[in-house]
Amino acid sequence: MGSQAIFNVKDEWWRSAVIYQIYPRSFADANGDGIGDLQGITERLPYLASLGVDAVWLSPFYKSPQADAGYDVADYRQVDPLFGTLDDFDAMLNKAHGLGLRIIVDLVPNHSSDEHEWFQAALASPPGSPERERYIFRDGKGEHGELPPNNWKSVFGGGAWTRPEGEQQWYLHLFDTKQPDFNWNNPEVRDEFTSVLRFWLDRGVDGFRVDVAHGLIKKEGLPDCSVQQAMIEGGDPGPMWDQDGVHDIYKQWRSVLDEYDGDRMMVAEAWVVPQERLARYIRSDEMQQAFNFEYLGSQWNARDVRKVVDDSLAQTALVGAPTTWVMSNHDGVRHASRFGLSTPGYRPKGISAKDEQPDEALGLERARGFAFMTFFLPGSAYIYQGEELGLPEHTNMDDKYRQDPTFWRTKGEEVGRDGCRVPLPWQADAPAFGFGPSDKSWLPQPPNFARYAVDVEEKDSDSTLALYRRVLALRAEYRLGKGELEWLESPTPDALLARNGDVYTLLNFGAEPVALPWSDVEILASSKALSAHQQLQSGGGVWFKRL
Ligand code: GLC
Ligand code: CA
């Protein structure tokens, strides 16, 4: 008996959707100030429709001082003037819906900006006041309270507590000083976010990507942390991550979403291990999806990839939810570059000129090959803007341009995430590679971006863009997202061979070419030309049918 029978799985769109992540400041700039904006997105929506994706997730565009590129929200119901206005948002949403594209927005509930009116009111009010109860203020340790209340560290480096000038108390921030954590035990905070959800649902959004979904509830009493807490390492979540109390919040949100028509959804950003803990976020009365970061951290290795895929499918089937297949996002080194390093894995810390430099051609080949696994698998798949071009990381950016708070808070020890956030190249010969009408670009684009510009790839039938369009069209045609995976015995241990309905895939992780196991095949798509004897080169992927 499959999960279908147990859960009476419906045909909701998100179960098999391909979702494209837009990082608004780096997608397309309509007004020439060097920062991408909502109008720029609206103008480029036809490009996304022609790529063949089902939905778009937008990273934050809300009013914000931009201390963490918008993940520090000062007003959850306003668009930051950098990106446009609420009218621009509505225009974008309408056009997207007209093109058959759904829109998912980012919700940042763990913390606000310190410039949010609630935090300003908290600072202006005395300890113990209701205004302070919306955040996590505590007295310090030591004779004069001069030591932080506990030993927690910020994810971005340095301590997790700040004591503002002239203040007696400290406040908690798991991220930057300018991102104070909300107190989710306070019903006022819960009510406020229910209202924010409704605000965007009423405007017509199709869902939410929930930032730091594993962080909202902290362990009672805020005890010292005995593990070196990171967002992903190890199995011990410490006193700040993956506390059981978070699930009540998502159940309540789910009931709000269910009041609306159109299968509105939520996807959790939850850095939780192992997969069975992650699956708790996507039980049938909580969120619909969670990002599969274990897949994102894949090594270039057949055995490991198969294991991650099997674990992911098994755990999500237990709760009747789809798996998400995601290779890159705005928080880690782009996979086209990771796969060109000696140890690929996940890299949140960025690459600088002093680090090992990726082999660009090798990384690109492997990234193209890996697409034949990602979009073959049943479930939902994510694309991070630019990956459809095979875009590499900026790996030798001059430090003077860096903006990620991680860089500053670790005093340069980690260069951070700017290298994956560089504005997209649309035209090889235009200023700022056509990012906008001026030569401005908020981060510098490396010269090799010219090779990956959309206009160059549109003219080339062997380009990564052409490959993505083909693969996404086939995925839809053969309904692979709704299908089932079956592993078959591969010709070599360094390759993976699998079947999903009528379609077969072979992905070659090894150094030597691998022959297709049968000769009576029709090739549907391939990342590398196949030789006359149907030999798949190293790093290559292929989809075929048997005749
Ligand atoms: C999430 C976001 C990341 C942000 C952090 C704090 O991890 O993806 O970009 O810096 O949360 O909001
Ligand atoms: Ca702009």
Side-chain angles (χ1 to χ4, degrees), residues 435-514:
F435 173 55
S438 73
D439 61 358
K440 292 196 188 130
S441 153
W442 72 279
L443 285 174
Q445 298 159 301
N448 62 352
F449 268 31
R451 289 204 283 282
Y452 301 88
V454 173
D455 69 338
V456 172
E457 298 209 13
E458 295 219 293
K459 283 182 230 132
D460 174 3
S461 59
D462 288 329
S463 69
T464 307
L465 179 59
L467 182 153
Y468 263 64
R469 284 182 172 154
R470 174 98 183 117
V471 159
L472 293 180
L474 288 166
R475 186 179 191 276
E477 184 185 340
Y478 289 95
R479 301 169 61 86
L480 300 181
K482 299 185 203 298
E484 268 185 55
L485 179 75
E486 182 193 346
W487 296 111
L488 302 171
E489 198 188 325
S490 143
T492 76
D494 278 343
L496 290 176
L497 177 67
R499 189 174 89 105
N500 181 345
D502 291 339
V503 185
Y504 293 76
T505 190
L506 181 68
L507 175 52
N508 183 6
F509 292 88
E512 301 303 321
V514 174

Side-chain angles (χ1 to χ4, degrees), residues 309-324:
V309 169
D310 283 341
D311 287 354
S312 312
L313 290 172
Q315 289 304 331
T316 50
L318 286 178
V319 288
T323 311
T324 59

Side-chain angles (χ1 to χ4, degrees), residues 125-163:
S125 307
S129 60
E131 286 80 1
R132 288 214 170 178
E133 274 306 297
R134 294 162 175 159
Y135 293 91
I136 304 179
F137 279 87
R138 291 290 183 277
D139 291 335
K141 289 186 177 161
E143 206 180 326
H144 307 287
E146 71 281 7
L147 301 171
N150 69 23
N151 71 351
W152 296 6
K153 300 264 183 297
S154 153
V155 173
F156 292 161
W161 294 91
T162 290
R163 190 188 205 189

Side-chain angles (χ1 to χ4, degrees), residues 29 31 33 35-37 82:
D29 173 21
N31 68 355
D33 66 353
I35 300 182
D37 41 50
L82 262 187

Side-chain angles (χ1 to χ4, degrees), residues 68 71 111 156 175 209 211-212 269 330-331 417 421:
D68 183 21
Y71 281 96
H111 45 264
F156 292 161
F175 295 87
R209 176 264 188 193
D211 192 61
V212 196
E269 186 219 18
H330 66 291
D331 288 330
R417 302 161 295 177
R421 299 175 172 179

Side-chain angles (χ1 to χ4, degrees), residues 124-345:
S125 307
S129 60
E131 286 80 1
R132 288 214 170 178
E133 274 306 297
R134 294 162 175 159
Y135 293 91
I136 304 179
F137 279 87
R138 291 290 183 277
D139 291 335
K141 289 186 177 161
E143 206 180 326
H144 307 287
E146 71 281 7
L147 301 171
N150 69 23
N151 71 351
W152 296 6
K153 300 264 183 297
S154 153
V155 173
F156 292 161
W161 294 91
T162 290
R163 190 188 205 189
E165 276 280 314
E167 274 293 333
Q168 175 208 325
Q169 289 195 306
W170 299 70
Y171 69 87
L172 177 70
H173 52 88
L174 292 181
F175 295 87
D176 191 61
T177 312
K178 286 182 69 61
Q179 293 167 300
D181 281 45
F182 279 116
N183 170 17
W184 272 90
N185 293 320
N186 183 342
E188 222 189 325
V189 171
R190 296 193 183 216
D191 291 348
E192 170 64 2
F193 273 89
T194 305
S195 155
V196 169
L197 284 177
R198 289 189 189 283
F199 178 86
W200 293 102
L201 288 166
D202 290 339
R203 287 202 110 74
V205 304
D206 299 285
F208 301 91
R209 176 264 188 193
V210 180
D211 192 61
V212 196
H214 58 316
L216 276 52
I217 298 288
K218 282 79 180 172
K219 190 165 189 165
E220 189 71 45
L222 310 181
D224 274 351
C225 190
S226 54
V227 288
Q228 184 46 47
Q229 102 273 12
M231 293 253 279
I232 38 172
E233 286 154 25
D236 185 341
M240 69 288 285
W241 308 124
D242 195 28
Q243 306 295 307
D244 288 342
V246 297
H247 298 287
D248 292 337
I249 301 170
Y250 305 134
K251 285 184 182 146
Q252 194 250 322
W253 290 1
R254 177 64 177 262
S255 70
V256 174
L257 262 69
D258 284 349
E259 287 173 30
Y260 288 78
D261 61 0
D263 293 331
R264 318 283 176 112
M265 58 83 82
M266 294 179 281
V267 51
E269 186 219 18
W271 293 90
V272 168
V273 287
Q275 294 254 7
E276 58 200 274
R277 287 293 298 185
L278 184 62
R280 291 158 57 90
Y281 290 76
I282 46 176
R283 288 175 287 193
S284 59
D285 57 348
E286 296 195 31
M287 301 206 208
Q288 286 81 349
Q289 298 184 341
F291 291 118
N292 185 346
F293 291 126
E294 222 169 306
Y295 186 75
L296 187 147
S298 291
Q299 300 290 332
W300 182 257
N301 172 314
R303 207 191 42 233
D304 290 359
V305 170
R306 179 167 165 168
K307 182 174 182 327
V308 174
V309 169
D310 283 341
D311 287 354
S312 312
L313 290 172
Q315 289 304 331
T316 50
L318 286 178
V319 288
T323 311
T324 59
W325 307 110
V326 38
M327 299 184 281
S328 286
N329 64 26
H330 66 291
D331 288 330
V333 171
R334 285 177 173 278
H335 65 276
S337 295
R338 284 199 322 266
F339 285 144
L341 291 170
S342 43
T343 39

